[in-house]
């Protein structure tokens, strides 16, 4: 059996037409909204402030530009694949068709890391805004039920010593569980099981709310910018990954996961009415809109309040407080928008993960339970339930910084492999019809690979160690179960 056996693209395209188990209900507006729903969330409402405070200062704007450029290159490659092979599974399916089964498994296992931990990360940020909002109206939740029981700081001299990285650096916070984070994951999981149309409608409403809130913050916040807060715009380096260009690079790697919405769009290809036309629109449209908004919010936020004060779960709220009574009216509106916005991110992340499970299970690489479709709702309900339970546990137990870095490195790896897949397929199957063609090949995919690898190089060593451990676990599962049940290997 070949480790690099590939799925036939013609057979995949035929499978798209024959498999009607998932409901085709999404149009271009839904897809752009799904992308915005995933992209505008934790990046603006949570990580912008933390990345500015810890890594880049006001130059977090450059981090967003760097990350957005890498995303645009990868997004063009995603658009070609999603239009040509409009099937659930995203990068996993693309890798299977171009690079072979082993690399497809690695991508699929990587996507599990990406979506699962992304949903948990955003749920923690959601919890911070909910707790703050409830406190404003006189409801106080005991702190031991609103945060992770432990925080983690990797030992600076641990290197790739996995044992030390996993056993040292943990601090007991005195908390029990982050209960609000677990509740929102449970609610969204139930919504996704009920149906894709209902989920998309819910997401569309939330996207309108949070785009309005973001626009209000940008427009009214401009009047409260103090240019002295931008000085120095690029703070001098204060250690590895701390300010300077090294900090800009580290910041780009850490906030990168905030851009993964267009990746989530591609996982819904099999539920799209006209994927050949609409998938590229959904991917590139959502990416373009959100990159502009990220840069604008970062400029306004770091102009209103000194970046050193933004290492908090709710930096936009801190920015409004710093503006004084003139923006006090916006505080509850921003918090409501953040709560709604983060809810839609959780929804899109939890939508993407079961679709990856579904595709891997249909190929025999995971047990059949993950491809079971509900007879009434026509959703992969068991995969959604498993994903939801796991995300609840992670959201309740782990701190947001640790979760966010794991998501970023997983996302970057997946994007790099997709870019490589486009490059390979252009040389191995150049005449195949492509409804959307990535421009400037080979420059765009090569540049996409280089950009993703460069951003990965800026992430902490302990994040690399955790990725290696995660991948090792995945390879054990592949060789013990996946390879033995693979339908491609068995000729089915």
């Amino acid at each position: 059996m070949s480790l690099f056996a590939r799925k036939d693209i013609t057979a995949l395209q035929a499978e798209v037409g024959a498999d009607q188990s998932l409901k085709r209900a999404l149009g271009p507006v839904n897809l752009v909204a799904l992308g915005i729903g995933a992209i505008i969330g934790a990046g603006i409402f949570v990580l912008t402030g933390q990345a500015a405070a810890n890594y880049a200062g006001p130059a977090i704007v450059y981090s967003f530009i760097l990350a957005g450029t890498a995303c645009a290159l990868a997004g063009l490659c995603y658009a070609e694949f999603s239009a040509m092979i409009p099937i659930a599974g995203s990068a996993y399916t693309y890798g299977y068709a171009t690079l072979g089964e082993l690399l497809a498994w690695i991508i699929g296992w990587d996507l599990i890391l990406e979506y699962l931990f992304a949903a948990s990360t955003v749920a923690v940020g959601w919890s911070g805004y909910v707790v703050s909002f409830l406190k404003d109206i006189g409801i106080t939740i005991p702190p031991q039920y609103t945060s992770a029981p432990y925080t983690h700081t990797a030992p600076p001299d641990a290197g790739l010593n996995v044992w030390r990285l996993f056993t040292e650096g943990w601090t007991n916070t005195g908390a029990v569980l982050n209960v609000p984070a677990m509740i929102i994951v449970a609610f969204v999981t139930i919504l996704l099981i009920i149906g894709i149309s209902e989920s998309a409608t819910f997401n569309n409403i939330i996207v309108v709310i949070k785009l309005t809130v973001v626009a209000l913050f940008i427009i009214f916040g401009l009047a409260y910018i103090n240019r002295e807060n931008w000085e120095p715009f690029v703070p001098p380096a204060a250690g590895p990954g701390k300010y300077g260009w090294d900090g800009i690079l580290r910041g780009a790697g850490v906030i990168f996961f905030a851009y993964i919405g267009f990746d989530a769009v591609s996982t819904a290809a099999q539920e799209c009415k006209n994927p050949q036309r609409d998938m590229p629109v959904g991917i590139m449209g959502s990416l373009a809109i959100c990159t502009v908004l990220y840069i604008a919010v970062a400029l306004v936020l770091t102009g209103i309040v000194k970046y050193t004060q933004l290492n908090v779960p709710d930096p936009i709220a801190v920015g409004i407080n710093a503006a004084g009574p003139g923006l006090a009216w916006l505080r509850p509106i921003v918090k409501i928008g953040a709560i709604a916005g983060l809810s839609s991110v959780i929804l899109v992340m939890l939508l993407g993960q079961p679709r990856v499970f579904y595709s891997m299970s249909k190929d025999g690489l995971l047990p059949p339970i993950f491809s079971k479709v509900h007879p009434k709702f026509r959703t992969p309900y068991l995969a959604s339930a498993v994903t939801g339970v796991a995300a609840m546990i992670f959201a309740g137990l782990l701190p947001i910084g640790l979760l966010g870095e794991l998501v970023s490195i997983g996302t970057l790896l997946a994007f790099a492999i997709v870019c490589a897949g486009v490059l390979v397929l252009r040389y191995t199957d150049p005449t195949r019809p492509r409804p959307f063609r990535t421009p400037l090949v080979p420059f765009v995919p090569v540049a996409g690979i280089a950009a993703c690898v460069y951003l990965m190089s800026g992430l902490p060593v302990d994040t690399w160690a955790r990725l290696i451990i995660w991948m090792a676990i995945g390879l054990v599962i592949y060789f013990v179960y996946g390879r033995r049940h693979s339908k491609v290997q068995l000729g089915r």
Side-chain angles (χ1 to χ4, degrees):
M1 294 191 291
S2 171
L3 292 175
F4 300 100
R6 294 187 295 173
K7 293 193 76 171
D8 181 70
I9 294 179
T10 302
L12 273 173
Q13 292 170 333
E15 183 181 329
V16 172
D19 187 354
Q20 300 299 323
S21 55
L22 296 178
K23 185 178 180 181
R24 292 193 177 275
L26 304 179
V29 174
N30 295 128
L31 292 173
V32 172
L34 277 177
I36 295 173
I39 297 172
I40 298 295
I44 278 183
F45 294 114
V46 181
L47 290 182
T48 300
Q50 295 183 348
N54 294 320
Y55 304 120
I60 190 64
V61 170
Y62 298 150
S63 297
F64 276 119
I65 293 172
L66 190 59
T69 300
C71 275
L73 295 168
L76 289 168
C77 296
Y78 263 93
E80 176 167 313
F81 271 135
S82 64
M84 185 168 57
I85 313 172
I87 195 167
S90 181
Y92 157 76
T93 302
Y94 311 152
Y96 215 151
T98 56
L99 302 172
E101 184 173 278
L102 179 60
L103 284 172
W105 170 269
I106 290 172
I107 298 173
W109 190 247
D110 179 60
L111 288 174
I112 293 171
L113 171 72
E114 175 185 329
Y115 288 122
L116 192 58
F117 282 83
S120 303
T121 304
V122 180
V124 174
W126 184 93
S127 174
Y129 273 95
V130 166
V131 170
S132 178
F133 178 75
L134 291 177
K135 187 176 181 180
D136 288 346
I137 60 175
I139 301 173
T140 301
I141 302 176
Q144 60 266 36
Y145 298 108
T146 61
S147 59
Y150 294 93
T151 59
H152 184 260
T153 302
D157 60 341
L160 286 173
N161 186 322
V162 174
W163 177 255
R164 291 192 61 197
L165 288 171
F166 278 85
T167 59
E168 298 180 17
W170 294 95
T171 303
N172 192 327
T173 64
V176 179
L177 280 176
N178 193 330
V179 176
M182 299 177 74
I183 290 174
I184 185 60
V185 171
F187 171 77
V188 171
T189 299
I190 293 169
L191 179 64
L192 285 168
I193 289 173
I194 291 173
I196 186 67
S197 297
E198 293 78 5
S199 300
T201 300
F202 175 76
N203 179 70
N204 291 348
I205 294 169
I206 288 180
V207 165
V208 171
I209 293 172
K210 68 180 175 182
L211 286 181
T212 301
V213 169
V214 169
L216 287 173
F217 176 74
I218 294 170
I219 293 168
F220 288 97
L222 285 171
Y224 294 89
I225 289 176
N226 179 358
R227 292 179 179 272
E228 292 181 1
N229 290 328
W230 286 338
E231 298 174 0
F233 198 78
V234 181
K242 188 79 170 179
Y243 308 137
W245 177 251
D246 196 28
I248 292 171
L249 175 61
R250 176 71 58 84
V254 169
I255 56 92
F256 191 85
F257 102 93
Y259 278 102
I260 66 177
F262 74 82
D263 176 284
V265 171
S266 67
T267 67
Q270 206 164 335
E271 291 152 288
C272 180
K273 295 176 184 176
N274 188 350
Q276 286 81 5
R277 182 196 66 191
D278 297 340
M279 291 305 297
V281 173
I283 290 171
M284 300 309 296
S286 59
L287 181 58
I289 292 169
C290 295
T291 300
V292 172
L293 291 176
Y294 271 143
I295 292 170
V297 167
L299 280 170
V300 172
L301 180 60
T302 55
I304 293 176
V305 61
K306 193 68 175 177
Y307 65 89
T308 53
Q309 302 172 32
L310 292 174
N311 191 23
V312 294
D314 52 350
I316 302 295
V318 170
I320 290 173
N321 289 342
L327 275 187
W329 62 273
L330 191 54
R331 179 183 174 90
I333 296 174
V334 164
K335 288 191 176 181
I336 292 171
I339 292 167
L342 294 172
S343 299
S344 71
V345 178
I346 299 168
L347 182 145
V348 180
M349 295 300 100
L350 291 179
L351 180 147
Q353 176 57 71
R355 272 73 186 167
V356 176
F357 274 145
Y358 175 85
S359 289
M360 296 177 76
S361 176
K362 292 273 286 185
D363 292 333
L365 300 183
L366 288 176
I369 185 175
F370 291 106
S371 55
K372 294 285 186 182
V373 175
H374 195 282
K376 178 181 178 181
F377 302 133
R378 292 173 66 188
T379 57
Y381 67 109
L382 293 176
S384 294
V386 170
T387 300
V389 170
M392 283 176 63
I393 293 171
F394 292 133
L397 294 176
L398 297 179
I400 192 168
L402 179 61
L403 289 166
E405 289 174 1
L406 281 168
V407 176
S408 288
I409 197 166
T411 304
L412 286 162
L413 178 60
F415 287 2
I417 295 176
V418 168
C419 291
V422 165
L423 195 62
V424 169
L425 196 62
R426 283 295 185 94
Y427 287 100
T428 59
D429 196 357
T431 60
R432 180 169 295 278
R434 291 166 168 83
F436 176 87
R437 295 180 68 87
T438 302
L440 302 176
V441 174
F443 170 76
V444 167
V446 169
I449 295 168
C452 291
V453 172
Y454 181 54
L455 292 180
M456 289 174 73
S457 71
L459 288 168
V461 173
D462 57 298
T463 304
W464 278 90
R466 293 187 186 97
L467 176 67
I468 292 168
I469 294 297
W470 178 262
M471 288 301 168
I473 294 170
L475 288 174
V476 170
I477 295 173
Y478 170 70
F479 284 105
V480 170
Y481 180 89
R483 194 176 182 215
R484 297 172 183 270
H485 295 82
S486 165
K487 292 182 179 179
V488 170
Q489 300 283 6
L490 297 174
R492 295 178 185 173

